[in-house]
Amino acid sequence: MARSAQPESGGPPPIVRQAVPEDGFGLSELLGALGYPCPPEEASQRVIDLSGDRDQSLFVADQAGELMGMVCLDLAYYLPLGALTCRITALAVLPKAQRRGVGRVLLREAEAVARNAGAVRIELTSAAHRHEAHAFYRACNYQDGALRFVKRLGGA
């Protein structure tokens, strides 16, 4: 299901579509903006790796061939609720495309995919220092949730 956001001045509105390996350069830029730099070739490989997993989806906001944003989601059975849930594992919008509706249209796409899959809730995490992102999520009716703890087990 393709959705569009508000256009940048003079350009066509971005269209939300599934990512393809050829999106490696744009995904590399978006992952870097999110704080997870990776070369374009590796970003392309990640798209290929995700494509084999029916419970994960990666969508991009494409404006005339340039990626303005991305959202990645993971569907999983959540034992405490006894139901399917959806976790947004990555959401990024290029700084030049922020405050133009790109993030909202990506969230709506993620929510539609989750609902269509039968998920009972959708969640995401956001680094403590991303205050503007937190305000954006609250404005999109996401509520503060549990505190997250992390222990690194390898190089990532």
Side-chain angles (χ1 to χ4, degrees):
M1 165 184 334
R3 299 178 190 266
S4 61
Q6 295 299 317
E8 286 195 46
S9 56
I15 300 298
V16 175
R17 60 170 175 77
Q18 286 195 318
V20 294
E22 294 78 19
D23 291 325
F25 181 80
L27 288 168
S28 174
E29 188 176 13
L30 286 159
L31 286 165
L34 194 56
Y36 298 93
C38 91
E41 303 78 28
E42 186 177 333
S44 292
Q45 185 58 51
R46 291 179 188 186
V47 174
I48 293 167
D49 293 345
L50 281 175
S51 69
D53 187 338
R54 66 180 183 89
D55 292 325
Q56 293 196 53
S57 301
L58 176 58
F59 296 96
V60 294
D62 180 329
Q63 184 177 34
E66 183 179 3
L67 300 190
M68 296 293 149
M70 69 167 190
V71 64
C72 187
L73 32 134
D74 185 17
L75 294 162
Y77 180 81
Y78 187 62
L79 181 66
L81 292 178
L84 189 68
T85 64
C86 180
R87 179 186 243 333
I88 295 174
T89 60
L91 175 65
V93 175
L94 290 180
K96 69 181 181 181
Q98 291 175 359
R99 302 192 185 284
R100 299 187 184 280
V102 175
R104 285 182 188 275
V105 77
L106 287 166
L107 278 181
R108 282 195 297 270
E109 185 70 23
E111 291 164 6
V113 169
R115 275 191 193 95
N116 289 339
V120 298
R121 79 174 187 193
I122 191 166
E123 62 183 43
L124 56 87
T125 58
S126 181
H129 69 277
R130 296 188 179 275
H131 303 290
E132 287 185 28
H134 303 167
F136 166 71
Y137 296 133
R138 289 180 186 114
C140 292
N141 296 319
Y142 285 70
Q143 300 169 354
D144 292 359
L147 184 59
R148 179 178 170 208
F149 295 91
V150 176
K151 182 176 185 178
R152 305 232 182 264
L153 299 176

